[in-house]
Amino acid sequence: MYEYEVTTAARNWRLEGVKTPSPSDVVTDVFASDVLTTEELRQRLSKPVWRSLQATMERGAAVDPAIADTVALAMKTWAMEKGATHYTHWFQPLTGLTAEKHESFVMPTSDGTAISQFSGKELIQGEPDASSFPSGGLRATFEARGYTAWDPTSPAFIMRHGNGATLCIPTAFASWTGEALDHKTPLLRSMETLHSASMKALGLFGINDVTKVSSTVGAEQEYFLIDEEFFYRRPDLMLCGRTLFGARPPRGQELEDHYFGSIPERILTFMTDAEHQLYALGIPIKTRHNEVAPGQYEVAPIFEQSNVAADHQQLVMQVLRNTARKYGLVCLLHEKPFAGINGSGKHVNWSVATDTGLNLLEPGDTPQTNMLFLFFCAAVIKAVDEHQDLLRTCVASASNDHRLGANEAPPAIMSIFLGDELTEIFERIVSGKGTASRKAGLLGLGSPVLPPLPRHAGDRNRTSPFAFTGNKFEFRAVGSSQSVSFPITVLNVIVAEAILDLAGKIEAKTKKKVAFDAALVDVLKDVYSHHGRIVFNGDGYSSKWHKEAEKRGLLSLPTAVDAIERLMDTKNTKLFSKANVLTDRELEARQEVMFDQYFKTVNIEGETTEWMARTQILPGALSFLREVSGINIPSRAVDRTASSLATTIDSLSDALERLGAANAELGGDDVHAKSRHMRDNVLPAMNDVRVAADALERIVAHDHWPLPGYREMLFVK
Ligand code: ADP
Ligand code: MG
């Protein structure tokens, strides 16, 4: 009865009067129509104001307070023309989600009427009541409030809803003492770090026409769609975003008929709608397709400068979630909504580009660009090998643990897939063969000595957590629900450190009159002989690799708790503070928040498991047992059913007692101890409950089973 009402409520909730895309909308007209683009802004500002703002946007100069009012007025006018009634400072707290607090443009006047107002002060700085955002203790010692600061490098945009629209201003979120309380601030700082390190390296290569180097990111998003009818009948999906129970149906993804299959009508309508909204937000969505699991899909944009890409990625998740509801669907972004079925990741494609249009990870046509490429590639190899722990940590969460290490996702061991051709080039450099014809040309590249560098190598290794894919690296361990900001920050910082180190080594050699190309070859040789162990082109899922990785001394951090623990290692605090990206306190705050989220997530799952098992599954199974035992006809079927029911119900009950005991305590006072308790006691107890419950799902009569099963959820489209 209760279930029925919930479902009805969910089903009857519909947006009305919402603009859905019509086939006559021209995509190019729609694109960025809800974005305050630089062009739009330029047209609305006087030349001097525009120039001042441009200096901020392109070169990171501080915002001139004198122009703030003018810019704010232009923004407000544009937003109100677009139908906006409110504005918000839009930011990325450490929850990994986005936050917004809307303020109306309306300002009452003394004569009882109202005017619209939005001042420069309101544009530049906001003060959300932020005391409930996680801060890892950063705010506690000083000042409870935090403030948001306008990020002029990411464009403002309009978010629409049924009855209007809101002007969203991307902002950074910090404490009054200047400590970063969000994911954007360190990302912006890390871009600066990468920029200056790369500039130094480019200088060594004699490239002097570059003024800005940025990392670029294109993030592929995997997600599930299920009918909301089932979602609201599953407390685990509602509260935890994943199923805590569910026997595998006779058919899962074995037939491999879903991947790249034709997209069902209803799903395609949903996708078109979501894409239309994303286009309006200026998000260059490019591809869509069915993923491996039934009910699983993927969407990917064209890459952008990484700060903008990170903002856009948050919007992609938000639009997918909101739009699904219009079609009676729920979008699951969880890394592992269904056990035994493929999980969802977010492949973060990452590269480094100059404002002159050079992709530094793209093998080029000339020996010079090829040397540049090998240099940056070597920096990535060194960075990944030296900071395996950080790459594992920046994707660590309770939900991603179900995916990493399982046999269908990148393992929890970091390694790089380079492809055979590129690997061979590095191996030849190490063995000295690659430099044989150094006289004939720089590095001998383009000569018969070395094969031409692979361009867009065809090799599609899917099992590597970190793969070179022709002109970029693809970090595949990132979880589908997480913010990409911290992973990008880590990549920027570790690669910047390696670039500086390698550049310093080359410089030291050239100062001693070693020719530049010889110095470069020496450094490449040095990098690959020390860090080549991180390169693995084989099957990352195989148990052979796990053994091999151990022999190579690679780090294996199977659980998020192991990984998060490493964040405050001296190596890491030094790295982040030297790069001016995170102070020790800021880094520690992130560690605290990660642990906090880990333990709370598992705690909620543990209690939800107990609750569902006690109030739905056990009663369902007992009522079927009562029915079967009530059959007063001698029958082997009755005896067998009753006996296997009774045994499995007892196992469930025993496991429930253990889970109840584990749930009853928190395992300590600090988040470290609590997280370990969750991992070591709660998760195994949950698992035992699940094993018994899933066994019951296979023997209890369907009409006694209280939950929709995997069959319904995955195959109703
Ligand atoms: P896959 O075959 O892995 O599905 P695609 O070739 O379709 O991947 O591209 C994946 C993503 O990589 C896209 O979002 C694309 O924009 C992005 N990408 C391409 N080049 C770069 C680059 N230089 N920097 C960052 N991302 C890039
Ligand atoms: Mg990919």
Side-chain angles (χ1 to χ4, degrees):
M1 207 47 204
Y2 169 74
E3 298 288 352
Y4 177 70
E5 283 162 23
V6 173
T7 311
T8 316
R11 197 194 289 143
N12 291 343
W13 189 86
R14 281 289 183 281
L15 288 168
E16 303 247 312
V18 169
K19 183 175 166 283
T20 45
S22 88
S24 62
D25 284 341
V26 181
V27 167
T28 45
D29 289 348
V30 173
F31 192 79
S33 57
D34 281 341
V35 180
L36 185 51
T37 58
T38 42
E39 181 51 25
E40 181 73 43
L41 199 53
R42 188 183 63 77
Q43 283 174 13
R44 289 170 182 263
L45 296 173
S46 71
K47 259 202 184 124
V49 173
W50 168 246
R51 269 200 217 105
S52 166
L53 184 62
Q54 206 181 15
T56 302
M57 293 194 298
E58 287 171 10
R59 292 188 291 285
V63 186
D64 177 4
I67 66 161
D69 279 331
T70 318
V71 177
L73 180 64
M75 274 189 170
K76 186 196 75 178
T77 311
W78 172 81
M80 289 182 75
E81 283 167 18
K82 291 278 175 193
T85 54
H86 290 65
Y87 73 92
T88 182
H89 276 198
W90 187 77
F91 59 103
Q92 301 178 27
L94 296 178
T95 53
L97 305 171
T98 57
E100 49 196 82
K101 178 192 175 193
H102 298 190
E103 305 265 357
S104 169
F105 285 130
V106 170
M107 186 74 174
T109 56
S110 53
D111 64 2
T113 59
I115 54 164
S116 71
Q117 189 187 303
F118 180 53
S119 70
K121 225 177 100 218
E122 289 165 310
L123 164 64
I124 290 184
Q125 194 166 298
E127 197 181 325
D129 177 15
S131 45
S132 318
F133 292 110
S135 69
L138 270 186
R139 269 179 283 102
T141 33
F142 292 101
E143 168 67 73
R145 293 169 303 164
Y147 74 96
T148 49
W150 176 36
D151 167 20
T153 64
S154 184
F157 57 91
I158 300 277
M159 276 300 260
R160 300 189 175 278
H161 54 85
N163 285 325
T166 306
L167 169 66
C168 297
I169 301 160
T171 55
F173 179 39
S175 74
W176 285 107
T177 46
E179 282 160 314
L181 296 173
D182 67 346
H183 283 308
K184 184 191 269 276
T185 308
L187 175 58
L188 289 172
R189 292 176 186 159
S190 75
M191 290 183 69
E192 199 48 43
T193 307
L194 182 67
H195 160 75
S196 55
S198 305
M199 289 298 283
K200 177 167 180 188
L202 290 174
L204 288 182
F205 281 83
I207 298 174
N208 297 313
D209 59 340
V210 172
T211 49
K212 185 89 200 153
V213 179
S214 312
S215 53
T216 52
V217 162
E220 304 160 52
Q221 173 76 53
E222 293 177 334
Y223 60 95
F224 278 86
L225 289 171
I226 66 165
D227 195 294
E228 66 181 14
E229 171 89 29
F230 306 126
F231 179 85
Y232 287 100
R233 286 179 189 270
R234 299 272 324 202
D236 45 4
L237 281 179
M238 284 177 70
L239 299 181
C240 310
R242 75 173 176 112
T243 55
L244 300 168
F245 301 97
R248 283 174 73 170
R251 174 178 161 180
Q253 61 197 53
E254 297 79 4
L255 296 176
E256 298 185 331
D257 53 350
H258 189 69
Y259 191 52
F260 280 19
S262 75
I263 304 174
E265 169 86 20
R266 179 186 183 189
I267 306 295
L268 199 50
T269 318
F270 152 82
M271 286 178 173
T272 311
D273 191 341
E275 283 169 9
H276 191 273
Q277 297 170 59
L278 291 167
Y279 286 145
L281 290 167
I283 302 172
I285 293 300
K286 186 71 177 169
T287 62
R288 59 187 182 204
H289 61 81
N290 287 358
E291 256 304 325
V292 177
Q296 193 186 28
Y297 309 92
E298 181 187 297
V299 60
I302 294 172
F303 68 95
E304 302 175 277
Q305 192 249 75
S306 57
N307 173 41
V308 176
D311 280 354
H312 282 173
Q313 220 295 303
Q314 296 295 130
L315 288 172
V316 167
M317 291 195 282
Q318 191 176 335
V319 167
L320 289 178
R321 273 204 185 102
N322 290 345
T323 309
R325 299 297 307 274
K326 273 162 79 174
Y327 297 90
L329 297 164
V330 172
C331 173
L332 304 176
L333 293 174
H334 194 283
E335 281 75 3
K336 195 74 176 176
F338 305 100
I341 304 279
N342 218 59
S344 298
K346 186 139 54 195
H347 296 176
V348 173
N349 295 270
W350 179 93
S351 190
V352 189
T354 68
D355 60 348
T356 53
L358 203 57
N359 176 354
L360 298 173
L361 290 173
E362 166 118 41
D365 297 320
T366 66
Q368 201 207 20
T369 49
N370 273 338
M371 290 200 308
L372 197 60
F373 163 73
L374 287 177
F375 174 86
F376 278 90
C377 196
V380 173
I381 292 171
K382 176 177 155 70
V384 172
D385 185 42
E386 279 179 351
H387 299 294
Q388 298 163 40
D389 58 337
L390 278 179
L391 288 170
R392 173 65 182 95
T393 306
C394 71
V395 300
S397 68
S399 51
N400 211 12
D401 271 4
H402 300 289
R403 184 178 156 258
L404 298 177
N407 253 10
E408 70 233 15
I413 303 166
M414 287 299 149
S415 65
I416 300 183
F417 169 83
L418 271 192
D420 294 336
E421 288 163 284
L422 197 50
T423 306
E424 193 191 329
I425 287 173
F426 275 105
E427 281 168 358
R428 292 178 78 150
I429 289 173
V430 171
S431 66
K433 282 186 203 141
T435 59
S437 71
R438 206 187 294 159
K439 257 188 292 155
L442 301 161
L443 262 181
L445 292 172
S447 80
V449 178
L450 275 183
L453 289 186
R455 306 202 81 192
H456 304 272
D459 210 336
R460 309 298 295 163
N461 180 307
R462 291 269 158 206
T463 63
S464 175
F466 202 89
F468 180 68
T469 48
N471 56 356
K472 60 189 187 284
F473 280 92
E474 184 170 337
F475 186 19
R476 300 193 180 122
V478 182
S480 51
S481 70
Q482 85 172 97
S483 156
V484 295
S485 295
F486 193 44
I488 303 172
T489 303
V490 166
L491 279 172
N492 289 348
V493 170
I494 64 176
V495 175
E497 182 199 48
I499 291 171
L500 277 185
D501 183 77
L502 301 190
K505 283 183 175 141
I506 293 178
E507 221 172 20
K509 287 178 197 290
T510 52
K511 272 195 185 130
K512 288 187 194 150
K513 306 282 183 243
V514 179
F516 176 76
D517 54 330
L520 173 64
V521 169
D522 281 351
V523 165
L524 293 178
K525 201 169 168 172
D526 187 53
V527 168
Y528 205 79
S529 28
H530 282 99
H531 303 290
R533 62 169 186 168
I534 196 74
V535 173
F536 175 66
N537 295 329
D539 180 2
Y541 299 170
S542 67
S543 55
K544 237 173 76 191
W545 166 234
H546 288 240
K547 283 193 210 100
E548 164 75 17
E550 203 182 315
K551 255 201 269 162
R552 294 190 190 186
L554 299 183
L555 202 55
S556 176
L557 300 170
T559 72
V561 178
D562 304 312
I564 302 167
E565 209 72 79
R566 300 265 181 151
L567 197 56
M568 288 305 287
D569 286 0
T570 316
K571 164 181 91 66
N572 298 332
T573 55
K574 268 197 185 146
L575 170 82
F576 280 105
S577 62
K578 204 167 155 219
N580 288 320
V581 171
L582 289 166
T583 64
D584 291 4
R585 269 167 51 82
E586 285 173 329
L587 191 63
E588 189 175 10
R590 271 142 194 89
Q591 185 186 45
E592 288 281 306
V593 171
M594 287 177 95
F595 272 132
D596 192 61
Q597 293 205 323
Y598 180 92
F599 111 75
K600 281 179 181 155
T601 303
V602 182
N603 187 213
I604 291 169
E605 287 182 351
E607 288 181 4
T608 307
T609 302
E610 187 183 345
W611 186 299
M612 288 173 71
R614 277 198 207 287
T615 64
Q616 294 186 290
I617 294 170
L618 193 57
L622 286 172
S623 83
F624 183 50
L625 177 60
R626 189 183 314 119
E627 193 174 298
V628 174
S629 343
I631 302 174
N632 268 329
I633 301 164
S635 148
R636 287 194 300 279
V638 170
D639 293 346
R640 281 180 188 137
T641 307
S643 141
S644 71
L645 268 174
T647 316
T648 321
I649 288 173
D650 282 347
S651 311
L652 177 68
S653 177
D654 292 348
L656 256 176
E657 290 309 297
R658 291 195 296 276
L659 178 60
N663 279 342
E665 52 176 310
L666 283 175
D669 291 330
D670 63 61
V671 288
H672 301 238
K674 286 178 189 170
S675 295
R676 282 193 292 271
H677 170 65
M678 294 302 150
R679 179 193 62 183
D680 299 337
N681 303 317
V682 175
L683 276 175
M686 276 168 63
N687 193 51
D688 292 346
V689 171
R690 178 176 189 149
V691 168
D694 290 358
L696 282 171
E697 189 177 345
R698 292 198 182 83
I699 50 178
V700 170
H702 187 73
D703 60 348
H704 283 263
W705 195 253
L707 301 165
Y710 277 24
R711 179 174 57 86
E712 287 97 333
M713 289 188 281
L714 291 169
F715 290 97
V716 174
K717 287 172 195 165

